[in-house]
Amino acid sequence: MSTPEAKITDAELEIMRVLWGSTEPMTLSGIKTALSEKNGDTTKTLLRRLCQKGAVAQEKREVYYYRPKVAQKDLGHYRTQHLIDKLYAGSAKAMVASLVEHDQLRQEDVDELREMFRNLCGKEGG
């Protein structure tokens, strides 16, 4: 079964970011303003597609309001897992090793990850 997360394109992701950043449902004009877009046709089309995919809810008041139905963390988790599966044959370890080998992690990042691993091992009784 395909999830809404699997179908969100990069262009649609920009709209999702705007919606995630708002505490209230937004109108088309509010979304356009946040995107600094002059022509609403593209935004309107992308919003329609996001609604069809089940990633955004649309409600009619005096005008249409939009709110995300997919949480940012859920999309992040899906995309991370997809990346690991696609590029690293499902191995998160291989992905982290690649980040380390190519100097993509600062020492602070490594220290933070080390602490996360320590906490994880402590919770599992190891």
Side-chain angles (χ1 to χ4, degrees), residues 34-96:
L35 293 171
S36 302
E37 184 182 316
K38 303 289 184 254
N39 180 353
D41 292 340
T42 302
T43 301
K44 190 173 182 177
T45 300
L46 292 172
L47 276 168
R48 181 177 39 80
R49 289 180 186 162
L50 285 164
C51 289
Q52 290 170 344
K53 293 174 182 182
V56 169
Q58 177 189 59
E59 60 184 80
K60 177 80 168 156
R61 298 180 191 170
E62 59 279 357
V63 295
Y64 285 107
Y65 282 80
Y66 301 90
R67 65 174 174 77
K69 289 175 67 177
V70 171
Q72 187 172 8
K73 66 179 175 66
D74 293 337
L75 181 62
H77 175 75
Y78 171 82
R79 288 221 167 161
T80 300
Q81 188 59 55
H82 183 72
L83 176 72
I84 291 168
D85 291 344
K86 188 175 182 178
L87 298 178
Y88 299 100
S91 171
K93 178 183 167 185
M95 182 183 80
V96 172

